[in-house]
Amino acid sequence: MTSKDQHLLVVGSIAFDDLDMPSGAHRNVLGGSATYASLSASLLARDHVRIVGVVGDDFPAAIVAELAARGIDTLGVARSPGQTFRWHGRYSADLASRTTLDTRLNVFAEFSPKIHPSHCSSRFLFLGNIHPALQIDVVNQVPETTLIAADTMNFWIEREPAHLASMLRRIDLLVINDEEARQLAGIHNLVRAAADIRKRGPKALVIKRGEFGALLFDDSGTFFVPAYPLEDVLDPTGAGDSFAGGLMGYLAVRGTASPHALRSAMFFAATLGSFCVEGIGPSRLLEIGRGDLSSRLAAFGKLVDHGGSLSLPG
Ligand code: AMP
């Protein structure tokens, strides 16, 4: 089914990140869930992506212009007096875990997304990691969707269980990591946790497992995509949002959220996630083009191509 308005509306944080990596410290790096998701989506769905968020008066107009130059509609980027949201994280030596050292909400504390009238017809909606009540507020403003996907995090699972439960009833697809899935369900086994979460609202669930790939659970069954094996991983910040942006960008440009399209979208998502981790902040996403995407997708195809059927021999 082809939808009328194939735009993807991305709502979330726009940030400056301070990143303490094993390789050194990086300050004032462009970040935020909406930034990563929309940059990633725009690589697959140029001119189909709309970003909604808030920045402070310290945020350079040149960055907003850079997003717009990539075909991202920035009409929904509000500017408020004050400082832009800041996040400071430190990664372990193997990059497998990270600690939040500081979160300064700044202008994000008063964020109440008002969707521009020309964006309310968007058929694809990605609700980045913000307060679940705000996610519901956005859903109410975008009435006719093909697919509503959302992310969340431990913070909301612990502190806003009632709002989170209401949000889950309003969405079609939840995209979270394995730790969050276990915490949300209160069940360690991911297959059981997925079944539990899907009973709470979202028909489909994607569980991201970093370098161990990602699982999709929906009415058509369970599907797995590996992470693309890389020699050099520099910075995992934003990989989850880039994964979700790639997934949603692909579906928006296809104009469908069929189970078949979702399975293809998992490969595009993993491809975008793999590029994201190759640079500090969103630097790799900002430098790659369609040629890079095509080559990695081809390599991904080879990675999972077993060359025939898996029927029992003899
Ligand atoms: P990811 O690595 O995919 O979880 O995304 C990292 C991005 O999330 C960073 O660029 C941060 O700016 C942003 N971020 C971190 N904490 C929060 C929060 N509490 N709310 C919204 N965005 C956040």
Side-chain angles (χ1 to χ4, degrees), residues 8-272:
L8 167 64
L9 192 71
V10 174
V11 186
S13 55
I14 302 174
F16 286 125
D17 293 341
D18 293 325
L19 307 171
D20 293 351
M21 312 305 300
S23 54
H26 303 270
R27 298 287 173 256
N28 299 315
V29 178
L30 176 64
S33 56
T35 311
Y36 280 106
S38 54
L39 275 174
S40 168
S42 72
L43 283 159
L44 300 174
R46 204 192 145 85
D47 300 322
H48 285 72
V49 184
R50 297 160 166 167
I51 183 171
V52 176
V54 65
V55 297
D57 40 30
D58 57 345
F59 198 81
I63 299 181
V64 181
E66 169 76 33
L67 297 177
R70 289 163 179 278
I72 300 168
D73 182 338
T74 57
L75 200 59
V77 177
R79 190 178 284 275
S80 293
Q83 302 273 299
T84 299
F85 173 77
R86 289 194 83 90
W87 177 74
H88 185 181
R90 178 184 294 148
Y91 283 85
S92 59
D94 62 0
L95 298 178
S97 61
R98 73 180 180 203
T99 312
T100 292
L101 299 179
D102 195 18
T103 299
R104 300 201 176 197
L105 293 176
N106 297 331
V107 295
F108 199 48
E110 304 298 319
F111 183 48
S112 167
K114 289 283 157 286
I115 307 305
H116 190 275
S118 68
H119 290 177
C120 291
S121 58
S122 305
R123 291 279 176 155
F124 293 81
L125 184 53
F126 176 62
L127 305 163
N129 167 32
I130 53 175
H131 193 296
L134 294 183
Q135 293 177 316
I136 295 169
D137 195 26
V138 173
V139 172
N140 289 336
Q141 296 176 65
V142 184
E144 281 181 68
T145 50
T146 300
L147 184 71
I148 303 175
D151 185 8
T152 191
M153 68 186 288
N154 300 5
F155 188 83
W156 308 121
I157 297 170
E158 284 155 24
R159 296 183 198 210
E160 297 288 356
H163 284 298
L164 187 66
S166 309
M167 184 275 277
L168 291 177
R169 286 194 287 273
R170 302 293 304 279
I171 63 167
D172 306 299
L173 168 67
L174 183 69
V175 186
I176 52 177
N177 67 34
D178 43 8
E179 253 178 62
E180 292 155 353
R182 289 185 169 115
Q183 190 178 7
L184 179 57
I187 299 171
H188 185 80
N189 179 282
L190 285 181
V191 178
R192 290 176 193 271
D196 178 88
I197 293 167
R198 290 181 60 226
K199 281 189 203 138
R200 303 181 192 201
K203 282 218 162 62
L205 169 69
V206 170
I207 301 182
K208 297 166 289 174
R209 307 197 66 200
E211 64 177 311
F212 303 110
L215 289 156
L216 163 69
F217 300 87
D218 66 5
D219 287 344
S220 297
T222 305
F223 184 75
F224 174 71
V225 64
Y228 186 76
L230 295 168
E231 256 179 60
D232 294 308
V233 175
L234 280 187
D235 173 17
T237 311
D241 299 309
S242 301
F243 183 101
L247 188 95
M248 294 300 286
Y250 176 81
L251 295 172
V253 88
R254 288 273 311 265
T256 170
S258 69
H260 184 258
L262 254 175
R263 280 153 176 75
S264 301
M266 291 285 282
F267 282 95
F268 289 82
T271 298
L272 268 307

